[in-house]
Amino acid sequence: MSENAKFRVAAACAATVAVTILIFRSRRHVSKRMLVTGASGYLGQHLVAALHSAEPGLEVHVAFGGLETYESDVAGTVASVTKVDLADAVAIRSLVRSVRPDIVVHLAAVSSPVVCEKNAARSDAINTPHALLNALPTSTTFIFLSTDQVYDGIAGRYANAAPAQPVNRYGRSKLAFELALHAALPASMSLRSSLILGPRTPGRCRKQSFLQFCEDRARGALQTDFIADEYRSVVWVGDLVQIIRWAALQGGASSHAGVYNMGGPERLTRVDVAREVVKALTPAPSLAVANGLPPYFRGVSKASLGDMGVASPPDISMDSSRVAALSGVALTPLDVAVAMALPRCNLPSADLVPMTLIIQLGACNDEAGVVDADVRARCRRTRELLEAHPNARVLTSGGADPRFKFNPTSTPHWQLVERALLEAGVSEAALLRPGMPALHTVHEAMMSHERVRQWLVGRRPTEVFREIIVLTSDYHLARVAHLFGVVFGSHARLDVPVRFEAVAVAIQSEEWIAARRVHEAKALATLKSAPYEPWLGWLKARGLEGVNSRGV
């Protein structure tokens, strides 16, 4: 096995352990005070909205710069709102004294490389606010949004926290603050973020993500040139939100302090993003030319645009698998990001239609990776559901661990299920990747909750999902319905309709089926009356013990 393959297997196992141990750690009874700087920006708005909807025990204070509408947009959802100039040391000290934060999530920056070059002194003061570090006690947990532009862009595919050699002032200022931060605060984490993509912000925002730029240009059929020879690992905003939650609230910054690449799983250009947006919005394939772009979009070289006043690294794609493995957050590929931000158009009105999410639960496979008859029966039903729901996508499930006999291979079961789905006639475009590396039904329910939250990033569930269909075998239905009934619904702050599809058990004896039903009944009774870890910790963290015991 190659070193890369070994790392992927290790990362998958680490992700499963992280999801079990970290994401579901109880913290409901621990009140913390968090300060978010740059809260009016694109990431800040999504982070604050997600914290408000899912972290009831957390006291969130926000600081912002010059967006005058922000205070009214966020009123009632945070503990305090402060307009602050990060170049003003006195104002920073006053803010810290007022809030007394246990946790700081520092997102504020002059993020335009061109502006940084033109206004060097002020941009350096804002991007390297030493006064903020000096005002905080050393016990503070600190999450810093750094940038992929700390890399020179010569090699590409940079390993985690590879040596930094920024080519512009923006990258140099971010690197300088990384160094100062980790010298000052032990429980600190720098996330070297790539270009962030996602849905529109909950409130008014000065600048949406590049995905909205592509959407607006495509809807207006506006002539646009996209740079085709600069590469980045664009990242879904929900991935960043979940990893910040892990680092700030679940001990990540304390137990794994340091610098991490924070990009998506692919090496992409802006043309790739534009092409995927066009695919989601274009009603008729005939409107697109051979390269997937309409006539009004064009890929061009960076050199053809002339001198833009700042050096730009050509290939700052990154390997971000380290932080993904530690946090248990699955990095979202571009096609899934666009599907979640722009659910399919309902022609001819071009309104965006919420998607139907089909969660196909796993079963078993043999030593050769051949799935059993239950999986194949579920695959056939999934194909039928996709035919009946044109705007539907499939999320598969199943991990790999030698302690669990359902999968004796090192390949995650969800990948084997995907193979079976393709063999059953399901289109590859219908698959949501990556699947969930779950090891049992409790894992499947908890991971489904976290994955849906990752995709929603603070929006109402019904804006993204019409319904969730959970597909399993008939003997398994009662336990599945209980678990997924608990993890979804208004009580779990994920109020989206859920229904269940039960497939008749594949070729088995009557004795096997009877024994299976007895096992399922006992397992369900135990889940309700004496829940065990990790289910118990997950319930306690969300105050759902009562919902679990009485059922939904």
Side-chain angles (χ1 to χ4, degrees):
M1 183 183 295
S2 70
E3 288 302 314
N4 283 340
K6 289 178 181 177
F7 181 81
R8 285 196 297 271
V9 171
C13 292
T16 300
V17 172
V19 168
T20 304
I21 296 175
L22 294 172
I23 286 182
F24 310 113
R25 182 180 295 165
S26 176
R27 56 188 184 280
R28 184 166 56 96
H29 303 296
V30 180
S31 179
K32 299 253 183 211
R33 297 166 67 89
M34 175 187 286
L35 171 63
V36 180
T37 72
S40 64
Y42 181 78
L43 173 59
Q45 288 203 30
H46 281 299
L47 174 64
V48 171
L51 294 173
H52 173 66
S53 66
E55 301 290 347
L58 181 69
E59 190 175 288
V60 180
H61 301 256
V62 298
F64 72 105
L67 184 64
E68 298 302 332
T69 58
Y70 179 67
E71 190 164 2
S72 61
D73 284 348
V74 80
T77 65
V78 293
S80 71
V81 186
T82 305
K83 184 177 180 180
V84 67
D85 181 354
L86 284 178
D88 184 341
V90 174
I92 289 175
R93 288 194 292 270
S94 175
L95 173 66
V96 171
R97 282 197 301 270
S98 173
V99 174
R100 295 177 290 108
D102 305 294
I103 304 160
V104 175
V105 180
H106 180 46
L107 310 178
V110 177
S111 58
S112 166
V114 173
V115 173
C116 287
E117 298 295 333
K118 290 182 177 178
N119 300 282
R122 178 162 176 77
S123 66
D124 282 353
I126 292 173
N127 288 355
T128 315
H130 292 287
L132 178 59
L133 296 181
N134 295 336
L136 295 167
T138 57
S139 59
T140 305
T141 297
F142 198 108
I143 316 301
F144 170 49
L145 189 73
S146 188
T147 177
D148 53 1
Q149 296 214 28
V150 299
Y151 297 123
D152 59 14
I154 303 302
R157 303 184 187 276
Y158 288 92
N160 185 72
Q165 294 179 304
V167 299
N168 55 43
R169 182 172 291 275
Y170 173 61
R172 287 193 292 272
S173 66
K174 287 286 194 175
L175 178 59
F177 194 74
E178 282 184 14
L179 297 172
L181 168 63
H182 296 291
L185 300 178
S188 56
M189 182 174 288
S190 294
L191 299 173
R192 291 177 172 173
S193 175
S194 183
L195 186 69
I196 303 171
L197 304 181
R200 295 184 186 274
T201 52
R204 289 161 287 187
C205 190
R206 186 177 292 110
K207 184 181 180 183
Q208 297 290 337
S209 82
F210 182 67
L211 193 151
Q212 279 71 53
F213 173 81
C214 295
E215 178 192 1
D216 293 342
R217 304 298 288 187
R219 287 192 183 280
L222 301 175
Q223 191 69 42
T224 310
D225 289 342
F226 294 91
I227 298 173
D229 55 357
E230 283 190 347
Y231 295 87
R232 302 183 76 173
S233 298
V234 298
V235 60
W236 172 247
V237 64
D239 298 357
L240 259 171
V241 167
Q242 291 289 73
I243 286 173
I244 289 171
R245 287 181 58 245
W246 163 74
L249 302 174
Q250 297 159 6
S254 300
S255 57
H256 299 286
V259 179
Y260 294 89
N261 291 342
M262 186 59 259
E266 299 158 299
R267 176 178 177 264
L268 301 166
T269 69
R270 286 174 173 81
V271 172
D272 295 321
V273 179
R275 183 182 293 115
E276 196 65 40
V277 170
V278 167
K279 186 191 303 182
L281 296 178
T282 302
S286 60
L287 292 181
V289 294
N291 65 355
L293 295 177
Y296 45 83
F297 280 2
R298 184 176 65 159
V300 300
S301 68
K302 178 67 178 292
S304 70
L305 301 177
D307 184 7
M308 302 183 72
V310 62
S312 183
D315 186 348
I316 43 178
S317 56
M318 303 180 292
D319 175 3
S320 301
S321 55
R322 176 64 175 162
V323 76
L326 291 172
S327 65
V329 174
L331 299 177
T332 303
L334 176 63
D335 66 324
V336 177
V338 173
M340 294 303 163
L342 301 174
R344 189 173 302 173
C345 289
N346 181 21
L347 304 173
S349 66
D351 291 332
L352 297 180
V353 178
M355 114 181 14
T356 297
L357 173 62
I358 302 169
I359 302 176
Q360 181 174 324
L361 303 188
C364 299
N365 58 264
D366 64 17
E367 293 84 351
V370 178
V371 297
D372 66 7
D374 274 348
V375 172
R376 293 194 295 275
R378 296 177 195 183
C379 289
R380 289 191 293 272
R381 183 55 184 152
T382 292
R383 185 193 63 213
E384 294 170 353
L385 290 170
L386 288 167
E387 292 169 353
H389 299 82
N391 193 19
R393 302 288 289 269
V394 185
L395 177 64
T396 57
S397 179
D401 190 306
R403 296 170 300 172
F404 294 81
K405 296 180 180 179
F406 72 90
N407 178 10
T409 78
S410 61
T411 301
H413 179 71
W414 67 263
Q415 292 183 6
L416 304 176
V417 175
E418 279 196 349
R419 185 189 306 166
L421 282 166
L422 295 174
E423 292 171 352
V426 170
S427 166
E428 189 164 1
L431 302 176
L432 292 177
R433 290 170 170 149
M436 300 182 297
L439 298 177
H440 45 68
T441 312
V442 169
H443 269 172
E444 288 176 319
M446 296 188 301
M447 288 184 185
S448 295
H449 175 100
E450 295 297 327
R451 189 68 64 87
V452 168
R453 264 182 56 176
Q454 183 179 341
W455 288 335
L456 290 175
V457 281
R459 292 169 293 173
R460 292 191 302 274
T462 50
E463 293 176 352
V464 182
F465 299 110
R466 181 189 299 276
E467 68 174 341
I468 295 176
I469 301 174
V470 184
L471 180 65
T472 188
S473 296
D474 53 2
Y475 63 82
H476 196 33
L477 179 60
R479 186 154 59 108
V480 168
H482 172 75
L483 287 165
F484 281 83
V486 172
V487 302
F488 290 107
S490 57
H491 54 268
R493 298 181 180 85
L494 278 181
D495 198 5
V496 56
V498 180
R499 69 181 175 91
F500 303 91
E501 284 278 339
V503 178
V505 64
I507 307 167
Q508 295 286 357
S509 67
E510 290 296 328
E511 292 79 7
W512 185 94
I513 295 173
R516 206 62 217 163
R517 293 190 190 283
V518 169
H519 167 81
E520 288 292 323
K522 289 181 178 178
L524 177 56
T526 301
L527 281 175
K528 290 183 176 182
S529 61
Y532 46 83
E533 295 294 348
W535 186 231
L536 178 61
W538 195 93
L539 294 168
K540 287 182 175 179
R542 290 154 184 82
L544 296 177
E545 299 100 315
V547 175
N548 175 70
S549 62
R550 64 177 177 269
V552 178

